[in-house]
């Protein structure tokens, strides 16, 4: 959204970093990888669309699972998403972000007809602005999960929808699953990209930002429909604080089936 809305972003100069770790795989995959990897040994590369990736070098003693990550930032927050085995996209936008363009005219330029219709039906200008930012954040997360970005996957070619979740109760010891609306994507441009291939989370973080996460469903665990996204959220201020904030007032689930 930064470049499209024409606002200037300053590089991070203060405050809060949020790190999101999510996967359909068991959480132990993260701890196993973390225990055996020296961060200084990590090397990175870019795919053909410019998305950074971890470049693994396997040896006889250790064959790590594929680690995926994605980063987004505003002037006061960084969001980092991490998964094992599956691609991830993440986007963060400030709730109070001002949009210089007329929202409907802007949406007609970039959004699908269904999304434009949804926004047009909202008479309250502030609610309309908030819903626009949520949709943009989710769409950004999706194209970043695909690994292609805005230019290769125009926003008009797919639709983000909210639908009632079929899961009402799903509890494990020490865990809880939200009952927010499920978020799905419908692609008019790529029939191979079926909606049930992807899962989303839409969060309100620190009462000031929207964060959207999109991951491909993990085929190792069956890619089951409506399987909760396992999500851990950490608030980090470098050299000052690092604390898990999953399930606290700092993280409000607005959309997606989430296990925290």
């Amino acid at each position: 959204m930064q470049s499209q809305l024409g606002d200037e972003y300053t590089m991070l100069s203060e405050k809060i970093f949020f790190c999101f770790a999510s996967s359909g795989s068991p959480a132990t995959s993260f701890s196993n990888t973390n225990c055996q990897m020296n961060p200084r040994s990590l090397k990175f590369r870019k795919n053909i669309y410019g998305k950074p990736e971890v470049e693994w070098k396997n040896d006889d003693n250790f064959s790590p699972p594929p680690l995926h990550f994605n980063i987004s930032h505003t002037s006061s927050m960084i969001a980092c998403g991490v998964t094992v085995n599956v691609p991830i996209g993440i986007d963060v936008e400030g709730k109070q972000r001002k949009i210089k363009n007329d929202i409907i005219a802007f949406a007609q330029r970039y959004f699908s007809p269904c999304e434009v219709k949804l926004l047009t039906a909202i008479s309250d200008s502030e609610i309309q602005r908030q819903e626009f930012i949520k949709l943009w954040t989710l769409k950004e997360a999706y194209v970043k999960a695909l690994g292609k970005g805005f230019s290769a996957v125009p926003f008009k070619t797919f639709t983000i929808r909210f639908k009632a979740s079929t899961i009402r109760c799903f509890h494990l010891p020490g865990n809880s699953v939200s009952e927010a609306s499920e978020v799905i994507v419908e692609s008019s441009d790529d029939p191979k990209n079926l909606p049930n291939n992807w899962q989303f989370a839409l969060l309100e973080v620190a009462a000031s930002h929207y964060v959207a996460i999109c991951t491909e469903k993990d085929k190792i665990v069956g890619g089951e429909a409506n399987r909760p996204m396992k999500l851990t959220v950490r608030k980090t201020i470098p050299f000052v604080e690092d604390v898990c904030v999953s399930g606290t007032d700092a993280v409000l689930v607005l959309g997606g089936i989430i296990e925290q």
Side-chain angles (χ1 to χ4, degrees):
M1 183 188 276
Q2 294 96 305
S3 59
Q4 296 301 326
L5 294 187
D7 284 0
E8 293 185 359
Y9 265 56
T10 58
M11 290 305 293
L12 231 93
S13 58
E14 58 176 310
K15 284 190 180 178
I16 302 173
F17 292 66
F18 280 86
C19 179
F20 299 86
S22 59
S23 177
S25 303
T28 52
S29 296
F30 288 106
S31 59
N32 291 343
T33 302
N34 187 53
C35 289
Q36 299 184 54
M37 288 298 300
N38 181 345
R40 293 180 182 274
S41 71
L42 292 175
K43 295 185 177 181
F44 300 90
R45 65 187 179 194
K46 292 182 179 180
N47 71 8
I48 60 173
Y49 298 100
K51 182 180 180 180
E53 301 173 339
V54 177
E55 184 175 14
W56 291 112
K57 289 189 176 180
N58 299 341
D59 57 41
D60 295 336
N61 298 320
F62 179 48
S63 180
L67 184 72
H68 299 262
F69 75 96
N70 195 227
I71 294 175
S72 179
H73 70 85
T74 69
S75 59
S76 60
M77 184 179 294
I78 286 178
C80 176
V82 182
T83 55
V84 174
N85 295 318
V86 295
I88 184 170
I90 194 167
D91 190 53
V92 57
E93 300 291 346
K95 289 178 59 179
Q96 299 306 315
R97 188 174 183 81
K98 300 302 180 183
I99 300 170
K100 296 178 180 179
N101 309 73
D102 175 78
I103 287 178
I104 298 303
F106 193 79
Q108 288 172 337
R109 182 178 178 187
Y110 290 105
F111 283 11
S112 73
C114 290
E115 292 163 338
V116 173
K117 183 178 180 181
L118 172 69
L119 291 171
T120 303
I122 301 173
S123 57
D124 186 294
S125 60
E126 175 58 20
I127 295 176
Q128 186 185 73
R129 185 181 68 86
Q130 294 293 327
E131 293 305 307
F132 174 87
I133 295 173
K134 292 176 189 176
L135 279 173
W136 187 284
T137 308
L138 286 161
K139 290 169 86 72
E140 282 272 19
Y142 175 62
V143 298
K144 292 174 75 177
L146 290 174
K148 297 181 178 180
F150 181 88
S151 59
V153 186
F155 281 7
K156 274 183 173 287
T157 62
F158 63 92
T159 298
I160 297 292
R161 295 184 186 271
F162 291 84
K163 73 173 186 178
S165 169
T166 58
I167 289 183
R168 291 294 174 264
C169 294
F170 184 101
H171 297 284
L172 296 173
N175 299 74
S176 64
V177 172
S178 72
E179 297 183 8
S181 298
E182 185 180 7
V183 182
I184 63 171
V185 60
E186 296 176 352
S187 176
S188 60
D189 198 46
D190 186 0
K192 293 182 180 179
N193 248 329
L194 299 176
N196 60 3
N197 288 349
W198 302 93
Q199 59 187 157
F200 292 84
L202 178 62
L203 312 174
E204 180 185 293
V205 178
S208 60
H209 289 73
Y210 294 127
V211 173
I213 302 168
C214 177
T215 67
E216 188 174 16
K217 293 188 178 179
D218 195 339
K219 296 177 177 62
I220 292 178
V221 294
E224 300 170 27
N226 292 334
R227 182 182 180 89
M229 179 190 291
K230 297 179 180 180
L231 182 65
T232 301
V233 184
R234 301 193 68 87
K235 171 186 174 183
T236 302
I237 303 176
F239 309 111
V240 176
E241 180 183 31
D242 180 34
V243 60
C244 180
V245 293
S246 298
T248 71
D249 292 342
V251 181
L252 177 63
V253 178
L254 303 179
I257 306 171
I258 311 301
E259 178 185 332
Q260 298 188 83

